[in-house]
Amino acid sequence: MIVKTIGSAVQGVEAISIVIEVDVSPKGTQFHIVGLPDSAVKESEQRIESAITNIGFRFPRFRTVVNMAPANIRKAGSAYDLPIALGLLAASEQIDSTALSQFTIMGELSLDGTVQPIRGALPIAIQARKEGFKGLIVPASNAREAAMVNNLEVYGVTHLREVIDFLLAPSTLQPVYVDTRAEFANANHQFDVDFNDVKGQYTIKRALEVAAAGGHNALLIGPPGAGKTMLARRLSTILPPLSLHEALETTKIHSVAGKLPADTSLVTQRPFRSPHHTISHTALIGGGSIPQPGEISLAHNGILFLDELPEFSRQALEVMRQPLEERRVSIARAKLSVEFPASFTLLASMNPCPCGFFNHPVKACTCLPGSVQRYLNRVSGPLMDRIDLHIEVTPVPVESLLDHTYGESSKDIRERVIMAREIQTARFNGYRGIYCNAQMNSQLLRKVCRLNSEGEDLLKNAMQKLKLSARAYDRILKVSRTAADLEGSEHIQTEHLAEAIHCRSLDRQDWWDK
């Protein structure tokens, strides 16, 4: 008897339905799994046999063939245990197979029949609804995540026996219901840190406000102890909240990567990823034999913070150049090509030299001649060009540290950022994939960032004096547009342009004089 069950394979951040055909024949005793399975799928025979026998059913000892179609897609992982087990029981006529074709079923089995969590429940649920299945059966720990998809009955199970009883009597299980909009509306947007903790550093906070308002990449450069990391970790507190679409998109990526916390069904805060500088380029960009999202994709719609930027390997930094421009990363293998979204704000920090005290107002730099340039050259020019704001962070005077008054709160700054983003949302309405100033293409740049004659002269002089590239020219225009948006100005004024040029510290010659 041939029975079909439906599973799902995750490729990138999308899912593809997999038809699992089980044929049990009395002609022989061998067990075969075909359809390009990996080792984890092939090993499922032992797990499934123990799970079936331990709940009182018999494992078919006849010739059994399990075909997973389409056969040209690689099937990986242990999440196919549950649909294969149900197919075996139905093909050996121990359970009724009538209802199996109405559900997408995924889950890993323990030897006692317990159903273990899986990755990618959200994209699997989206695909199941898209293909018109009545419902989705997944492990109970993944049920709320999958139930974020409306118009689909999602059933969470903890044991193989529960699934069998449900197929015989549907009333034994109730679908999990999640009000996605209510879940999103009730999300906690509280942070453990706040900008009012920061003493002084007014120009730095202003630059980070501009970065948040326009989605601009930023680099903090300054001596040890100046507050670079402290300031960087507070940038997420002034970013505008995620929209529901962005929250679902971010949740899908974290679900595929297996990074979604057990008690979380929806990512409601913008991600803040801070990988260590020893990270490999594969872990940063994504990849592997079965491509998985890397840190830049996990930071999608949020912040990727690279502390001590020159300490990262050259290869790891260079592979980010294309994703920074295209806001996505394509990973190609011999038989597979996947694409992960990677629209993130890059925030980095670094010391100005190996000893850390170049341009320090009090301490003298002890580096040898030429060492500053060699240190800065660890970060390539093309990558530096893709960073809009170069922000020089200087130590806070002791008088400011002893000041007991609180500075401006993140909430107040965030309100201005949200207002600036609303201006940009209206401006780019109708332009697909463009939501903030940092994402403008060349055509929009010419249309939106027009300068008066005084501004053109100022920018021309800066380009000639600082020897800026064409990409740096574009970055200055984008930052100046954001500065104007923060003030509600329809046109870019000279002071907005001057502020954008001032935030290109590493383009100044005095950084290269030692």
Side-chain angles (χ1 to χ4, degrees):
M1 181 178 179
I2 297 177
V3 171
K4 295 181 180 181
T5 59
I6 309 297
S8 194
V10 177
Q11 287 193 341
V13 292
E14 306 297 334
I16 301 171
S17 290
I18 301 296
V19 179
I20 300 170
E21 302 173 308
V22 181
D23 180 20
V24 176
S25 168
K27 300 178 181 179
T29 59
Q30 293 181 320
F31 185 95
H32 302 281
I33 298 181
V34 297
L36 208 60
D38 72 348
S39 297
V41 178
K42 293 178 181 177
E43 291 170 355
S44 65
E45 178 187 356
Q46 284 71 35
R47 292 191 298 272
I48 292 170
E49 180 178 359
S50 295
I52 287 176
T53 55
N54 284 331
I55 63 171
F57 289 84
R58 59 179 175 81
F59 187 81
R61 294 297 177 184
F62 303 112
R63 182 178 184 272
T64 302
V65 177
V66 178
N67 178 44
M68 308 178 77
N72 63 326
I73 296 175
R74 186 169 181 81
K75 322 304 184 303
S78 54
Y80 298 100
D81 291 359
L82 185 56
I84 292 175
L86 294 171
L88 286 170
L89 291 173
S92 57
E93 300 182 345
Q94 298 179 71
I95 64 172
D96 186 14
S97 64
T98 305
L100 281 176
S101 61
Q102 300 175 17
F103 298 91
T104 297
I105 306 170
M106 291 294 281
E108 176 187 339
L109 289 176
S110 295
L111 300 185
D112 62 352
T114 302
V115 181
Q116 300 294 335
I118 63 171
R119 293 184 177 187
L122 182 56
I124 289 171
I126 293 172
Q127 184 66 19
R129 182 185 65 179
K130 181 180 178 181
E131 297 197 8
F133 288 100
K134 178 182 178 181
L136 171 67
I137 299 174
V138 290
S141 56
N142 298 112
R144 284 186 59 81
E145 173 193 340
M148 301 300 292
V149 179
N150 54 19
N151 300 323
L152 179 72
E153 295 180 357
V154 176
Y155 297 90
V157 296
T158 59
H159 200 275
L160 176 58
R161 170 64 73 176
E162 286 183 28
V163 188
I164 295 172
D165 292 343
F166 169 72
L167 294 174
L168 295 175
S171 60
T172 58
L173 281 178
Q174 295 299 317
V176 177
Y177 174 75
V178 175
D179 188 338
T180 307
R181 295 190 180 278
E183 186 100 354
F184 180 72
N186 296 329
N188 180 17
H189 294 293
Q190 299 298 318
F191 295 92
D192 297 329
V193 295
D194 196 285
F195 262 107
N196 62 14
D197 302 326
V198 180
K199 305 292 186 180
Q201 304 290 24
Y202 302 109
T203 58
I204 317 303
K205 287 190 282 188
R206 166 64 182 181
L208 290 178
E209 180 181 340
V210 172
H216 301 290
N217 302 323
L219 171 65
L220 303 176
I221 180 166
K228 301 186 296 294
T229 303
M230 178 187 68
L231 287 159
R233 294 194 179 278
R234 282 159 174 77
L235 178 60
S236 57
T237 67
I238 63 173
L239 290 176
L242 287 169
S243 66
L244 181 56
H245 172 74
E246 288 176 325
L248 289 169
E249 190 178 40
T250 305
T251 302
K252 187 161 64 170
I253 298 170
H254 284 247
S255 172
V256 169
K259 302 292 185 182
L260 200 63
D263 58 345
T264 302
S265 57
L266 183 68
V267 176
T268 56
Q269 290 188 353
R270 293 191 181 273
F272 183 91
R273 306 293 300 184
S274 180
H276 192 262
H277 59 76
T278 56
I279 190 172
S280 68
H281 70 279
T282 302
L284 184 64
I285 205 77
S289 56
I290 302 171
Q292 290 291 307
E295 288 292 331
I296 66 170
S297 294
L298 292 172
H300 180 64
N301 291 324
I303 298 169
L304 177 68
F305 177 48
L306 303 183
D307 201 3
E308 303 298 340
L309 184 67
E311 304 302 327
F312 284 79
S313 72
R314 185 69 174 240
Q315 188 176 14
L317 294 179
E318 293 307 300
V319 294
M320 287 199 305
R321 285 161 53 177
Q322 184 178 1
L324 281 170
E325 290 289 328
E326 299 183 358
R327 299 190 177 272
R328 66 180 186 274
V329 56
S330 299
I331 299 172
R333 296 292 179 265
K335 297 182 179 179
L336 176 67
S337 180
V338 298
E339 187 174 279
F340 294 111
S343 181
F344 60 93
T345 297
L346 175 63
L347 180 61
S349 71
M350 62 182 289
N351 293 327
C353 66
C355 80
F357 298 107
F358 180 62
N359 277 352
H360 194 282
V362 178
K363 295 185 179 180
C365 176
T366 60
C367 298
L368 296 174
S371 58
V372 174
Q373 183 171 354
R374 286 193 296 272
Y375 184 76
L376 295 175
N377 282 341
R378 293 185 187 180
V379 184
S380 69
L383 178 61
M384 199 68 74
D385 258 358
R386 288 169 169 82
I387 298 176
D388 307 345
L389 303 168
H390 306 159
I391 309 166
E392 187 175 357
V393 183
T394 55
V396 181
V398 66
E399 292 81 7
S400 297
L401 294 176
L402 295 173
D403 187 359
H404 295 294
T405 60
Y406 285 99
E408 193 174 23
S409 69
S410 293
K411 181 182 178 181
D412 294 336
I413 301 173
R414 191 183 201 186
E415 289 176 357
R416 294 197 297 269
V417 169
I418 292 173
M419 289 178 62
R421 284 289 182 107
E422 288 173 350
I423 293 173
Q424 294 166 51
T425 300
R427 175 184 298 140
F428 302 127
N429 185 29
Y431 293 95
R432 186 177 179 182
I434 300 178
Y435 308 102
C436 59
N437 289 333
Q439 299 172 344
M440 282 192 290
N441 54 34
S442 299
Q443 183 180 4
L444 268 174
L445 198 66
R446 290 192 297 269
K447 178 181 178 181
V448 173
C449 300
R450 294 177 179 174
L451 303 177
N452 55 31
S453 57
E454 187 178 353
E456 289 179 351
D457 291 340
L458 176 61
L459 186 54
K460 179 180 178 181
N461 291 334
M463 290 288 296
Q464 293 174 345
K465 186 176 181 180
L466 300 177
K467 297 181 175 60
L468 300 178
S469 67
R471 184 179 283 114
Y473 173 88
D474 289 350
R475 304 286 176 183
I476 290 173
L477 287 178
K478 292 177 182 180
V479 172
S480 61
R481 180 64 265 175
T482 301
D485 289 341
L486 282 169
E487 293 186 5
S489 174
E490 184 179 353
H491 302 289
I492 298 175
Q493 306 299 329
T494 308
E495 57 268 24
H496 304 142
L497 198 57
E499 183 179 10
I501 295 170
H502 178 72
C503 289
R504 302 285 303 183
S505 295
L506 292 183
D507 293 326
R508 299 201 314 263
Q509 187 60 39
D510 58 354
W511 276 104
W512 308 89
D513 286 342
K514 184 172 180 178

